[in-house]
Each structure stands twice: as C-alpha cells, then as structure tokens.
Amino acid sequence: MNICIFGASGRELDEVYYEEAECLGALIAQRGDALVFGGGREGLMGAAARGAHENGGRIIGIVPRFFDEPGIIYEHCDELIFTETMRERKQLMEERSSACVVLPGGIGTFEEFFEMLTLKQLGRSDRAIALLNTNGYYAPMLHMLEETARGRFMSRACLELYEPVDTPEQALDYIARYVPQKGSIRRLEDYNK
C-alpha cells in the first residue's frame, strides 16, 4: 500500500515531532508499504523519509519544480516526480496513495487535511485519514471541529471521517483495519437534522 504523509517542513520544532515522524516512516517501511510525500528534505516529511529509507522502504517524492534548489529535495527518493504547481503536487500525492497520515504542521498541512476531509465528506474519496496528534498538537483543532459539529456547521458524522491517534503505530493500525464506506453525497445529511 502507498501511504501519503503531510506534515511540517520546519527545522526548529521540538525533537519529539521529528522522532515520531521518523518512527512513522520506519514503520511504513517495516510493514512493507511505500511512503508518498512532498519530497522535502527538512521537517517532519524529511524525518519520515529518513525513517523509511533507513528501513529499506520505497519512497515516492512529489515536488513542485520551483523547489528544485540545493538542499531542498530529499536525496534518496526511489521515484521523484516534478510538478508545475502545488495544486498538481497535492493531486498526484492523492492519486499515488491509498491512505494518508497527517502529522503536525502549519497552514499547508491544515489545507491538505481539510481538502482530504472535504473530498471524503463529498464522497469523492474513501481513503483512511489518520491525524497524528503528537504531543497533543491537534487538540485545539479537534476541539474546533467538535464545536463546528455542535453548532451544526457540519454533520457530526464528519467527525468520524478521520481518526485522531497518538502514535505512529496507532495510525498504521487504523489504516490496516480501515474499511472504506462509499455512499451518496447525501449520506451525511441525516446526522444534521
């Protein structure tokens, strides 16, 4: 299985975030899956790629051409695909994977998570989405989503379209047992009444 990861590209995060990302990459490789990521050398994406590489995993990097500068792209990708835009990059990451794990990240990671969640809500995707809540990072966002559902701005059923997890092992266990649930675009409406 190809597992896509989204996550921070920052170089100055607390060490626990890099350790968990590297552990995730290692576990993906050890389970015989491939890592699909944004191709970056730094941040949590780079840490996950290093973990996969050190454990003999297959790594597919998808990166916009304007990132092609010294020190930006992870050097051990088994397959490196260049795109012209960030939008095309995200689309290919989705197309080349069967599930995704969202690591802690900034606005780019938020955007990627919410697009995947929106596509799943609309029935355009049925992939597993694991939200890796390392160090409680996503607690405020999870609270916001609860409040969004409580206020009926979205269906409560949307809260079941992703799985918050605390460890890389839990993320991959969730993906392994996940059963897709296709349905009509209206399948979530009843929960809002």
Side-chain angles (χ1 to χ4, degrees):
M1 174 185 302
N2 289 358
I3 299 174
C4 177
I5 64 159
F6 299 115
S9 60
R11 292 181 255 179
E12 298 178 0
L13 308 175
D14 288 344
E15 191 59 32
V16 65
Y17 296 108
Y18 301 109
E19 290 169 359
E20 289 289 278
E22 190 167 330
C23 176
L24 175 66
L27 288 171
I28 288 171
Q30 291 165 9
R31 292 182 184 213
D33 296 321
L35 174 72
V36 176
F37 80 125
R41 178 180 175 186
E42 300 294 339
L44 304 188
M45 290 185 294
R50 284 189 293 282
H53 176 71
E54 289 167 7
N55 285 271
R58 179 164 167 71
I59 302 166
I60 302 167
I62 302 174
V63 62
R65 191 161 302 284
F66 63 86
F67 278 16
D68 192 9
E69 294 185 15
I72 301 292
I73 298 174
Y74 183 67
E75 62 276 14
H76 297 295
C77 292
D78 295 288
E79 185 177 353
L80 185 61
I81 301 166
F82 285 101
T83 66
E84 295 307 314
T85 66
M86 293 290 281
R87 184 170 292 153
E88 183 185 0
R89 172 202 206 189
K90 190 170 46 179
Q91 181 178 350
L92 279 176
M93 289 172 74
E94 180 188 347
E95 289 174 3
R96 295 295 302 268
S97 62
S98 306
C100 73
V101 179
V102 182
L103 289 81
I107 58 174
T109 304
F110 298 157
E111 188 267 340
E112 289 157 341
F113 168 69
F114 281 112
E115 179 166 332
M116 296 300 296
L117 183 59
T118 300
L119 290 172
K120 194 168 181 179
Q121 176 190 16
L122 295 173
R124 308 317 302 160
S125 171
D126 60 359
R127 73 192 55 235
I129 303 171
L131 189 67
L132 186 52
N133 192 26
T134 302
N135 212 24
Y137 177 79
Y138 280 117
M141 187 176 81
L142 292 169
H143 176 74
M144 179 194 74
L145 288 168
E146 284 281 345
E147 287 297 305
T148 302
R150 189 187 61 73
R152 297 181 181 263
F153 290 97
M154 73 177 189
S155 163
R156 279 210 73 74
C158 288
L159 299 174
E160 299 170 15
L161 299 179
Y162 58 92
E163 182 77 7
V165 296
D166 294 321
T167 67
E169 293 86 356
Q170 290 172 349
L172 296 181
D173 288 347
Y174 167 70
I175 288 170
R177 71 176 186 275
Y178 179 76
V179 177
Q181 299 196 358
K182 292 187 178 188
S184 147
I185 192 172
R186 296 191 173 279
R187 73 192 186 290
L188 303 178
E189 278 185 356
D190 292 341
Y191 291 92
N192 242 350
K193 294 181 180 172

